Amino acid sequence: QVQLVESGGGLVQAGGSLRLSCAASGTIFSTLDMGWYRQAPGKQRELVAAITRAATTDYADSVKGRFTISRDNAKNTVYLQMNSLKSEDTAVYYCNAAPVYGPKRSFWGQGTQVTVSS
């Protein structure tokens, strides 16, 4: 079982920055593909950014050039650096972990609220 704890959300003005962190436990972090998702009120949860165990990254078109996902395997943590924030980035952000080995599974954190005021 993988446990994920997000932190770093909050209220920020448009154009500002935030860094989200997600600490993982319960397994070997380097065997996890990690991702950040978000869900705004009335909308479906969507992928924001992903990073594989090999540190290959992928981003939603809406955040390319503004957000950066990274991981620190020594700290069992994945980060999402969010710059040039827009009001449409307002959502609950969730950390996701998918073990590379074994049966296909997916684990979620509890979510952290990001609110961007215009």
Side-chain angles (χ1 to χ4, degrees):
Q1 192 78 1
V2 179
Q3 294 82 41
L4 303 170
V5 179
E6 300 107 332
S7 60
L11 174 64
V12 64
Q13 288 189 332
S17 298
L18 282 175
R19 188 176 82 154
L20 305 183
S21 300
C22 172
S25 62
T27 192
I28 300 173
F29 184 71
S30 61
T31 65
L32 299 172
D33 288 338
M34 302 296 297
W36 286 99
Y37 289 71
R38 67 186 180 189
Q39 187 166 19
K43 294 188 177 182
Q44 288 189 333
R45 190 172 296 188
E46 62 175 357
L47 176 66
V48 175
I51 185 167
T52 69
R53 62 188 294 263
T56 300
T57 59
D58 191 24
Y59 297 92
D61 288 342
S62 59
V63 306
K64 282 181 181 177
R66 300 189 298 123
F67 290 11
T68 301
I69 189 171
S70 61
R71 65 190 296 158
D72 186 336
N73 288 345
K75 295 183 178 180
N76 295 344
T77 300
V78 62
Y79 304 98
L80 185 67
Q81 178 67 44
M82 305 185 293
N83 299 328
S84 302
L85 282 161
K86 306 175 181 180
S87 57
E88 52 262 44
D89 295 318
T90 295
V92 178
Y93 284 70
Y94 296 91
C95 180
N96 176 269
V100 173
Y101 303 111
K104 185 175 177 64
R105 294 172 296 171
S106 186
F107 299 91
W108 296 92
Q110 81 285 356
T112 186
Q113 177 71 47
V114 172
T115 302
V116 183
S117 62
S118 56

